[in-house]
Amino acid sequence: MAREFTRVGVVGLGTMGAGIVEVFARNGVDVVAVEISEAALARGRATLTRSTDRAVAKGKLAEADRDALHSRVDFQVGLDALHAVDLVIEAVPEHLDLKQRIFAELDRVCRPDTILATNTSSLSVTDISVATHRPQQVVGLHFFNPAPVMKLVEVVRTVITATDVVDDVEALCARLGKVDVTISDRAGFIANALLFGYLNHAVSMFEARYATREDIDVAMKIGCGLPMGPLALLDLIGLDTAYAILDTMYRRGGRDRRHAPVPLIRQMVTAGLLGRKSGRGFYTYEKPGSPKVVPDEQTPATTQPATDGASGTTGVGGGTGPAAVTRVGLVGVGALATGLVGAFAMAGYEVVSVDGDVEPSAGISEAVRASLDEGVARGDLGAADRDTALARITWSATLEQLADVDLVVEAVAEELSVKQALFARLDGICKPGVVLATTTASLPVIEVAMATQRPADVLGLHFPDPTTVRQLVEVVRTVRTSAEATVTAQAVCTALGSATVVCGDRAGFVVNALLFPYLNDAVRMLEAGYASVDDIDHAMKLGCGYPAGPFAVLDAVGLDVSLAIQRALYREQREPGLAPAPLLEHLVTAGYLGHRTGRGFRDHTGR
Ligand SMILES: NC(=O)c1ccc[n+]([C@@H]2O[C@H](COP(=O)([O-])OP(=O)(O)OC[C@H]3O[C@@H](n4cnc5c(N)ncnc54)[C@H](O)[C@@H]3O)[C@@H](O)[C@H]2O)c1
């Protein structure tokens, strides 16, 4: 029989503690909620009130239930109030000496049978436990932010934690409606070990002005389907907390430079820019504690490029306004080219599709027709729209037909020599001022641009997910790309219905540079035997709200493709932490490439 927890204590009512109080009180458990001062107690109470009022307003909590929830919480200053609780969860700032002091004090104040849990993100639970005389009753209970919403709890068992204590807290998690994964005491456990390198890297991109804060966040939200972008997430976590977590992970986790906090984080903490809780972090909020972002000096002007396709233009040569684009040339025969021909035609452009000149003919016209037919069958477009779109397409077997287009997008084989030869030919065929775009995912765009005499007109258009070309495009600017070419490309992509982000010409651009190292880290974690494929996928889905865990993503993308991207990132940055995980290399060598071959990290045969 699992132990009954009828009264628990929560120490520290900040970003996490207030949410943890809510989780318990919502589930019928009495809570003694403790803070260090009356002022901090009032802040904690206000956070709980705001959160439950929001739940009532959204219809997720009845008013009577909210009142009952509040009646279960006893707000107190000082740890002495915890003398009669069954379990304490500590959620004070991420500093070992502070947590050790609190645990020593809890050991003195609490009943001998009370279980003591820490919500630490990165500190050693073992180090915290030895500050007490009951280390076998100390466990990590790592909730995720926001605690009332995120389903995951990481239960951290040290080498000395008693088995029945682990069993009891696991049963408690189930009673709270949470899903737990039980793991040993390693820096960052599962989720933060995979998350914080990514967050830190996003800050370094922002610090280096590689892309704007909005573009970095939009790229990861739309490009990967994440619930929020990395900079918005750091604001939610709190930059002081994030700094402490990174600092600890760097020191405990093998001094991986990717965890050394980016200097900007420290500067922002010093300046009091802590994120939502202080009203300003990477973004500015309506007031401290508010989730509502308000415009500030970094907010981009709302003047969007033309949005109505072929007709919406402001003329060539008008400063940095977009050039007129009515005719688009597409070179290539694969899935991306097929998707793009259909998408441009649907958006109202005249399209010239070149099939069979650069690459062997692959019947792209049938493929485009089939994909538009599928759209009609799904009810996404009408038969008349399909026919109008098809009538806008000219099928050509020679590049010479591109002499009068306003934009060329190439989606041929991912080989530098092939692309360079193509761009050299386009240079001789296309009229001056035309934007020439490559869809390369991994080659330096500047190498392609320099095959022409007009590198200012060349840029990258990277579609992170070729199956949904309309969702996100990374507009890649080289050191030679003109502002006009960039805004023209942005305007066209907006007309396609895609979100656009502008970034520099570095391996992986924004999305892949941030995504693949995280996937590679997940493989390393698996390889180290720390957690299983299922536990790691669960942790990222339920703890961070990701639409799919890293192994599901790797199997879908293809392990060979993932390895090639990771190798390109490693080659460019020479960062030891980016070296492809040996397990990934071995699986590729073994022919386990994911869905495509029926087996990758999981076996997909017969499912
Ligand atoms: N912020 C997150 O997203 C997140 C997520 C999971 C886990 N955590 C972990 O939760 C813990 C708390 O982080 P946070 O972000 O909520 O911090 P926070 O700074 O928002 O809140 C900490 C609270 O602890 C209180 N406090 C400080 N000293 C105290 C004492 N002696 N007695 C009682 N209360 C005291 C402070 O007044 C403050 O309200 C950390 O260990 C952190 O790593 C944070």
Side-chain angles (χ1 to χ4, degrees), residues 502-519:
V502 178
C503 63
D505 183 19
R506 277 174 30 184
F509 311 127
V510 177
V511 174
N512 287 351
L514 290 177
L515 176 67
F516 281 85
Y518 141 75
L519 299 175

Side-chain angles (χ1 to χ4, degrees), residues 14-16 35 91-92 94 99 119 121 143 145 237 241 277:
T15 306
M16 288 309 291
E35 259 292 354
V92 302
E94 189 76 345
K99 290 195 193 264
N119 187 49
S121 304
F143 286 81
N145 188 2
I237 291 169
T241 300
K277 63 181 158 190

